[in-house]
Amino acid sequence: MADLLDRKLLFVTGKGGVGKTTISAGLALMAASRGKRALVCEVDAKGDLAASFEAPPTRFQESQVAPNLWAMSMDSEASLRQYLSLQLRLPRAAGLGVVARMFDFVASAAPGVREIVTVGKLCWEVRERHYDIVVVDAVASGHIVGQLAAPQAINGLVQVGLVRQQTGWMLDILSDPAQTGALIVSTPEEMPVTETIELVGRLRAETTVDLAGVVVNRVLPELFGTREEQVFEALADPGVADVLDRGLEGGSAALLDAARLMVRTRRARAEHMEHLRRGVAEAAGGPVPMLYVPYLFLRSYGMRSTRQVAAALSAELES
Amino acid sequence: MKQGAGQASSLEELLAAKEIVVVCGPGGVGKTSIAAALATMASCHMGGRVLVLTVDPARRLAQALGLSSAPGRAQRVPPEAFADAGANPRGELWAEMLSTKQSWDRLVLRHAPDQHTAQRIIDNPLYQNISGRFVQSHDYIAVERLYELHSEGNYDLVVVDTPPTRNAVDFLLAPQRMAEFFSSRLLRLLTVPYRSRLVDVAARPFYYVADRVLGSQFLEDIAEFFILFQTLSDGFVARASEVERLLADRRTSFVVVSTLETVPVREAEAFMAMLPAKRLHLGGVVLNKVLPAYLTEQRLADRAELLCASADALAEELCRPSGPLAGQPAELVGRVLGEVGTNFNNIALVARREAGQRTELASGTPVLASVPELDDDVHDLAGVLHLGHHIWPGGEG
């Protein structure tokens, strides 16, 4: 599992709402704290990445958010502009604004055009060795396959031109499991589990990107072992309630209810987790590294939660 | 967890007074299930013909609504299915799964100048990418299909589950973007015949760069497609503004679904903030996967602290020979009691965080319903009804 951080490019994806951004931020922070120069890039610019580091809003131009750690947000127009000025060496970048906008426009019809600019920028950072690791807070499971399969799609549609020339080296990076991997984030709930299993199959069938692992986020703590659970059930006895209510001056029923709520929720989720383990291995055609991140009982999200996620991921990598 | 009567009735009022309810919100909050439950409750309690239009539902929910066989066509949920689930609806529940491809084809056929052009557009590979794969087209086509359904006038109420956009706001901007698309200068630049491009000095750098980047063959393919597509322009633009008007109509209401997690709440707030500017009507919010209210009580938090502190002493008392847990090892019982106390503190922290989010989200917006996290996802009609009972005033919620 430790080789996860040896990869140069990690796409973090998963169903909407499972905590992709938090996991991406934690992963990048962990890599940075282990001495790697890390870049983390938010592709769906919603601003949550900046919040994870309590940093000012991220831009296309990366900014440092922690020692060894830089953050940026993707902007396909800016990315194209950067690319064109590097490739075409146009004086004063004539007409680039229009071209960039046209690109966006064409991207409405042609598959892969917008995606290739996004993926291209990330691959370029890897190729130029600007960073030891690039963590991508990527698009959700519904869109990631289109993004990662963009170079092939472009190959099919565009016969000549600069864009076409670029797909070769990008595919080399994307297809190399030593360099690139996808990490799917899930929670132990029915819908995210189903979507994760489907995505594992689609990544394998439709892209050349290697599945680096699955992160199970928001795993609830196990309150009781088997013997403790028996004792817990015995607490339902009315005689127990009398003693507890006398000692606590009431309220024992609610406290036990809250514990029951947790036990029940965890049990339901344990089933989903089991389903996830089996389904992922089956869809991938072999074992897939699983990393478990506990549910964080925190007041709010920010640098503190990002650090805790980084610590949890770090512990998982050691195990 | 009983809701105030004032809150409860606003949901009933909304479903009774509106013709279209658009269910929107961030990804992963359970929009599709909530939309299905709203439609089901409306058909059960208020009668009439109610349609739920959904996009990409989970397979088991689709089966629950009988949607597995035919996308793009409304199908009635059979009364026997309700009877099996122990319900006897006053009205009819219909369900349709949006078919992006079919809706696009219908749109092209309607607006193309002739059958031949329509067919050329439909056969074009770029078109097939727009209609089949391209994701943002979902947004427009969902509102377009909604418009079509509404103007056919077959339903008293249409509940729409919005597509999983990257951003909930995309859905609102879709008609406007469609109109802008056709009036764009870029579209004109692309569709200019090749020879006159050489004459247009101002645009020459544009073509130079575009050719070098994309290759002229690809540009020509694109131009050909857009030239064809332009024949749809008048019809599309007119239609897009009608669609926009329908969304802003008083008969249409937006219901925002969110959990009380930090990130979804932020997105839901951003979405709601946009509605007034577009003159769209916010009906209210439905909160999903909400923790029970008792968890925020300070009195109980104090008891939990006390339990943590006195777990061992209480265990001794419970386990003495005359106690209710006589024979159990006191050390084990003490540990369990301590866990119970710690657990309460943990969940209470989350419940308080959620309560804070709720206050922010609900300032100035009615909370139509607040649904607890249910043990299982919805996968049959009984499940939809169960969820519905939590939403509906006077239900279990």
Side-chain angles (χ1 to χ4, degrees):
Chain A
M1 195 64 252
D3 69 339
L4 184 72
L5 294 184
D6 292 337
R7 304 206 198 212
K8 308 281 178 258
L9 181 57
L10 279 174
F11 290 90
V12 181
T13 180
K15 185 177 165 54
V18 295
K20 280 187 293 296
T21 303
T22 313
I23 297 296
S24 304
L27 199 60
L29 186 64
M30 171 183 59
S33 68
R34 293 183 175 205
K36 288 182 186 287
R37 269 175 70 86
L39 172 69
V40 55
C41 172
E42 183 176 42
V43 169
D44 253 349
K46 287 182 182 173
D48 301 331
L49 184 64
S52 302
F53 298 114
E54 287 166 40
T58 48
R59 298 174 204 290
F60 183 71
Q61 180 63 50
E62 61 263 50
S63 54
Q64 192 163 8
V65 291
N68 275 339
L69 179 56
W70 284 259
M72 65 168 283
S73 48
M74 184 50 69
D75 172 344
S76 58
E77 196 179 311
S79 170
L80 180 70
R81 217 175 285 209
Q82 183 184 52
Y83 167 75
L84 289 177
S85 56
L86 284 167
Q87 288 290 326
L88 298 178
R89 279 174 236 113
L90 285 177
R92 276 192 63 250
L96 285 191
V98 186
V99 172
R101 262 177 283 138
M102 178 216 67
F103 215 80
D104 247 30
F105 183 79
V106 167
S108 307
V113 172
R114 196 191 311 272
E115 285 81 357
I116 201 136
V117 175
T118 298
V119 174
K121 158 78 176 171
L122 299 164
C123 288
W124 184 71
E125 294 292 347
V126 171
R127 193 184 66 172
E128 300 297 310
R129 298 172 196 270
H130 290 153
Y131 296 95
D132 298 321
I133 186 168
V134 178
V135 177
V136 188
D137 175 13
V139 289
S141 26
H143 313 270
I144 187 74
V145 170
Q147 195 159 78
L148 295 180
Q152 290 114 291
I154 284 282
N155 266 349
L157 267 168
V158 186
Q159 271 73 46
V160 288
L162 269 179
V163 165
R164 168 69 195 249
Q165 290 161 21
Q166 300 301 319
T167 54
W169 66 268
M170 284 171 56
L171 274 170
D172 286 346
I173 291 180
L174 291 175
S175 314
D176 178 6
Q179 293 194 73
T180 304
L183 203 56
I184 309 178
V185 183
S186 186
T187 53
E189 293 167 284
E190 186 172 326
M191 288 283 288
V193 164
T194 310
E195 235 175 73
T196 300
I197 295 170
E198 277 172 15
L199 182 58
V200 170
R202 289 195 62 202
L203 276 178
R204 197 178 167 205
E206 298 172 42
T207 77
T208 57
V209 177
D210 182 55
L211 178 64
V214 170
V215 177
V216 190
N217 196 16
R218 300 190 197 135
V219 177
L220 292 173
E222 184 163 21
L223 288 190
F224 309 121
T226 322
R227 282 181 66 215
E228 286 155 329
E229 190 141 343
Q230 284 165 2
V231 170
F232 176 63
E233 272 156 30
L235 296 181
D237 183 294
V240 174
D242 286 345
V243 173
L244 291 181
D245 279 339
R246 221 178 311 126
L248 303 174
E249 295 169 38
S252 73
L255 301 188
L256 291 177
D257 271 349
R260 265 180 222 112
L261 178 69
M262 179 63 87
V263 168
R264 207 174 56 228
T265 312
R266 183 183 152 94
R267 201 173 290 152
R269 294 191 176 184
E271 281 170 34
H272 296 311
M273 208 130 72
E274 192 43 43
H275 180 207
L276 179 71
R277 269 191 286 263
R278 267 183 288 116
V280 164
E282 208 172 289
V288 174
M290 309 282 281
L291 295 96
Y292 300 90
V293 176
Y295 190 100
L296 300 180
F297 294 101
L298 290 175
R299 256 172 233 280
S300 65
Y301 291 96
M303 201 56 183
R304 186 150 168 254
S305 54
T306 305
R307 279 215 186 86
Q308 292 199 10
V309 169
L313 286 169
S314 188
E316 284 290 289
L317 287 191
E318 302 306 329
S319 67
Chain B
M1 279 291 286
K2 282 277 176 240
Q3 295 154 352
Q7 286 178 359
S9 69
S10 59
L11 179 68
E12 201 172 352
E13 259 169 40
L14 186 83
L15 293 177
K18 301 294 177 182
E19 291 175 17
I20 294 174
V21 170
V22 184
V23 178
C24 34
V29 298
K31 273 192 300 268
T32 306
S33 305
I34 296 282
L38 285 175
T40 305
M41 287 297 106
S43 77
C44 282
H45 293 281
M46 300 183 321
R49 280 162 68 99
V50 181
L51 174 77
V52 54
L53 174 64
T54 171
V55 188
D56 192 28
R59 206 169 302 136
R60 295 209 288 172
L61 177 63
Q63 281 163 2
L65 296 170
L67 283 172
S68 36
S69 53
R73 231 182 44 230
Q75 283 177 304
R76 186 171 172 190
V77 179
E80 306 83 69
F82 275 102
D84 288 347
N88 180 23
R90 290 170 60 188
E92 298 174 8
L93 177 64
W94 291 69
E96 175 177 322
M97 181 155 60
L98 185 76
S99 160
T100 315
K101 171 95 183 95
Q102 274 180 33
S103 302
W104 270 109
D105 288 357
R106 270 203 292 257
L107 204 59
V108 169
L109 286 167
R110 182 178 304 115
H111 297 303
D114 54 72
Q115 184 70 31
H116 177 67
T117 312
Q119 204 52 52
R120 279 182 68 199
I121 292 173
I122 289 174
D123 292 340
N124 186 295
L126 286 173
Y127 167 78
Q128 283 164 11
N129 276 305
I130 286 196
S131 55
R133 273 216 304 217
F134 179 56
V135 187
Q136 269 189 8
S137 72
H138 271 346
D139 303 336
Y140 181 70
I141 216 65
V143 275
E144 159 65 31
R145 178 71 184 134
L146 173 63
Y147 179 84
E148 198 174 54
L149 283 165
H150 183 258
S151 49
E152 283 166 9
N154 288 329
Y155 302 96
D156 298 287
L157 172 68
V158 180
V159 178
V160 200
D161 161 36
T162 53
T165 50
R166 293 171 185 223
N167 218 313
V169 169
D170 283 347
F171 178 77
L172 291 183
L173 299 176
Q176 188 188 327
R177 280 190 187 146
M178 182 53 72
E180 279 168 7
F181 180 87
F182 281 105
S183 56
S184 155
R185 168 160 178 260
L186 295 167
L187 183 60
R188 264 176 286 134
L189 281 175
L190 274 173
T191 51
V192 162
Y194 194 75
R195 274 193 18 226
S196 42
R197 287 181 188 181
L198 304 173
V199 186
D200 185 347
V201 178
R204 208 179 285 159
F206 167 81
Y207 293 117
Y208 169 74
V209 177
D211 269 8
R212 291 207 49 189
V213 173
L214 290 167
S216 48
Q217 182 58 49
F218 184 51
L219 269 186
E220 269 171 47
D221 288 351
I222 289 174
E224 188 193 303
F225 168 67
F226 282 131
I227 288 166
L228 284 171
F229 209 64
Q230 248 180 341
T231 63
L232 307 175
S233 172
D234 291 347
F236 263 49
V237 171
R239 183 73 162 205
S241 67
E242 282 171 53
V243 166
E244 230 179 347
R245 208 172 311 135
L246 176 66
L247 286 182
D249 195 286
R250 293 222 151 266
R251 291 169 296 179
T252 303
S253 185
F254 285 77
V255 168
V256 175
V257 182
S258 182
T259 61
L260 290 170
E261 304 266 353
T262 315
V263 172
V265 164
R266 206 180 313 147
E267 199 181 323
E269 279 176 336
F271 181 80
M272 291 194 293
M274 273 202 64
L275 292 175
K278 307 229 78 189
R279 297 194 316 275
L280 302 174
H281 307 284
L282 177 63
V285 292
V286 171
L287 302 176
N288 200 11
K289 303 182 185 174
V290 175
L291 286 170
Y294 74 83
L295 293 171
T296 58
E297 285 176 30
Q298 185 55 46
R299 182 183 62 90
L300 291 174
D302 295 341
R303 298 294 174 282
E305 289 294 347
L306 193 56
L307 180 59
C308 288
S310 57
D312 289 337
L314 285 166
E316 291 291 343
E317 196 181 339
L318 289 166
C319 296
R320 46 180 194 175
S322 61
L325 295 182
Q328 298 270 19
E331 187 233 359
L332 184 64
V333 173
R335 206 158 62 221
V336 170
L337 289 176
E339 274 300 328
V340 169
T342 310
N343 171 70
F344 189 90
N345 288 336
N346 278 340
I347 314 192
L349 193 73
V350 179
R352 280 166 197 223
R353 188 176 75 207
E354 290 195 349
Q357 302 275 15
R358 183 190 175 116
T359 311
E360 266 178 52
L361 198 59
S363 63
T365 312
V367 174
L368 298 170
S370 168
V371 184
E373 172 154 354
L374 303 175
D375 284 348
D376 234 338
D377 281 339
V378 169
H379 46 72
D380 55 17
L381 192 58
V384 178
L385 285 160
H386 182 63
L387 178 60
H389 293 317
H390 283 281
I391 290 176
W392 196 254
E396 296 166 40

